[in-house]
Amino acid sequence: MLDDYQGVATRMADWSVIEDEVEVVALREHLHGEEALAEALAGYDIVVTLRERVAFPGSLIARLPRLKLLIASGMRNSVIDYAAADAHGVTVCGTASSGTPPVELTWALLLGLARGVVEESTALRAGGPWQSTVGADLHGARLGLLGLGRIGSRVARVGLAFGMRVSAWSQNLTAERAAEAGVELAASKEELLAGSDFVSVHLALGERTRGLVGAAELALMKPTAYLVNTSRAAIVDQDALLTALHEGRIAGAGVDVFDIEPLPSGHPMRTAPRLLATPHLGYVSRANFAAYYGQAVENIRAYLAGSPVRRLP
């Protein structure tokens, strides 16, 4: 099992049901690069990987001659070369994945930004000033959503509960679909960015969405507006976002996803001003991990019995 940062993978499911057939090994440190992965995984027949933290291109799969079963959390993974897996006789399976944890983290970041929670808490604990920020109001403010799918629509419902005016835009979003979610369809991406007090990204990463929010788009936002991204880092131009934060072009950003993960110690995102950042916690919850690892056990049992389940793609 890869990237067991918290050391909980073996406790999140009942692995004893397969202990007579497999040896369970959890790797807590992230393996950087194909060379390290090939060396570390060469002796394993089964690999469990979390989300899209680790890419499995054909070149890596070819270097893992013992690999027979690759299990990814979630039922969609864009960094696995399925054709190469099939060519090398590797079965790929997925697991359930809830959209609720990223919705909740989105609101944790948005509320933290709006009310200066980190700054005020840090000052209070360090003996600093008693109140130094003036919070931004959610009620009556406009929440603009880039994407109104499984996660974006849930974020919208929370915004409506706060009394926000919620609008959304994506390349395929229709007025009818927006109305079903109780929100307005923005006239364009540019109008949504220019008119929103809070902007939250909830799009899948693809050729049409990579770099969707760049310097020109960030320049459209109000200087009092906030940007939240719990989706994929590459949807927002990272250099343009850093520039906007350093120059105070926007009030702040809440970010859970990065171009490099884990972030190197000297990465500029670690010290950027006006940034509330978390280490890709969007899907990290007890219920999600119980589903990931519980169904990973089921997948292994089914594979060993000759009847794989939840096959990808």
Side-chain angles (χ1 to χ4, degrees):
M1 293 181 287
L2 298 178
D3 295 324
D4 181 22
Y5 296 137
Q6 298 90 349
V8 299
T10 56
R11 303 199 303 270
M12 287 290 176
D14 182 9
W15 295 90
S16 67
V17 297
I18 56 173
E19 64 183 5
D20 291 339
E21 299 177 90
V22 300
E23 177 188 1
V24 179
V25 179
L27 305 179
R28 296 193 61 175
E29 298 298 322
H30 182 72
L31 298 170
H32 291 276
E34 184 173 309
E35 195 65 36
L37 285 160
E39 181 178 349
L41 302 180
Y44 293 99
D45 305 281
I46 301 171
V47 173
V48 178
T49 182
L50 279 179
R51 304 303 295 146
E52 296 172 334
R53 286 177 177 172
V54 176
F56 281 84
S59 55
L60 174 59
I61 293 172
R63 298 176 67 180
L64 302 175
R66 286 190 56 172
L67 183 63
K68 295 295 181 287
L69 176 62
L70 177 60
I71 299 173
S73 56
M75 292 302 293
R76 181 174 64 185
N77 192 300
S78 65
V79 297
I80 295 174
D81 187 331
Y82 295 106
D86 184 64
H88 287 84
V90 179
T91 299
V92 184
C93 298
T95 72
S97 181
S98 172
T100 300
V103 172
E104 294 172 351
L105 185 71
T106 295
W107 282 101
L109 291 172
L110 194 152
L111 288 165
L113 287 167
R115 299 306 298 267
V117 171
V118 173
E119 299 95 319
E120 295 289 5
S121 176
T122 300
L124 185 148
R125 294 171 65 86
W130 184 263
Q131 298 184 9
S132 60
T133 64
V134 177
D137 296 283
L138 270 60
H139 185 85
R142 185 183 181 191
L143 170 63
L145 302 175
L146 288 171
L148 194 66
R150 182 172 66 120
I151 294 175
S153 60
R154 296 184 186 183
V155 171
R157 290 200 294 270
V158 179
L160 292 169
F162 273 116
M164 303 181 79
R165 296 177 292 115
V166 183
S167 58
W169 177 90
S170 70
Q171 289 157 325
N172 295 324
L173 184 62
T174 64
E176 292 75 18
R177 173 69 187 91
E180 289 174 4
V183 308
E184 299 176 359
L185 174 65
S188 65
K189 175 183 68 173
E190 291 74 17
E191 189 277 328
L192 181 138
L193 290 166
S196 296
D197 301 293
F198 298 89
V199 175
S200 192
V201 180
H202 303 288
L203 294 164
L205 179 62
E207 289 307 312
R208 294 195 304 172
T209 59
R210 186 178 299 275
L212 187 73
V213 179
E217 288 76 17
L218 290 168
L220 295 172
M221 294 179 63
K222 303 175 184 179
T224 55
Y226 298 89
L227 175 71
V228 176
N229 186 8
T230 57
S231 183
R232 290 291 183 269
I235 295 173
V236 179
D237 184 297
Q238 300 294 282
D239 290 337
L241 177 58
L242 282 167
T243 298
L245 292 171
H246 278 283
E247 296 182 356
R249 296 182 187 174
I250 59 176
V255 174
D256 186 50
V257 287
F258 306 91
D259 54 354
I260 303 172
E261 295 185 7
L263 277 179
S265 58
H267 196 284
M269 279 289 187
R270 287 187 177 268
T271 55
R274 303 178 180 87
L275 177 67
L276 176 55
T278 48
H280 205 156
L281 298 178
Y283 60 90
V284 181
S285 76
R286 293 172 185 168
N288 242 5
F289 271 26
Y292 292 167
Y293 293 116
Q295 292 190 10
V297 172
E298 294 174 3
N299 290 346
I300 293 170
R301 293 186 75 183
Y303 174 81
L304 294 176
S307 300
V309 295
R310 306 186 188 95
R311 297 190 67 164
L312 297 178

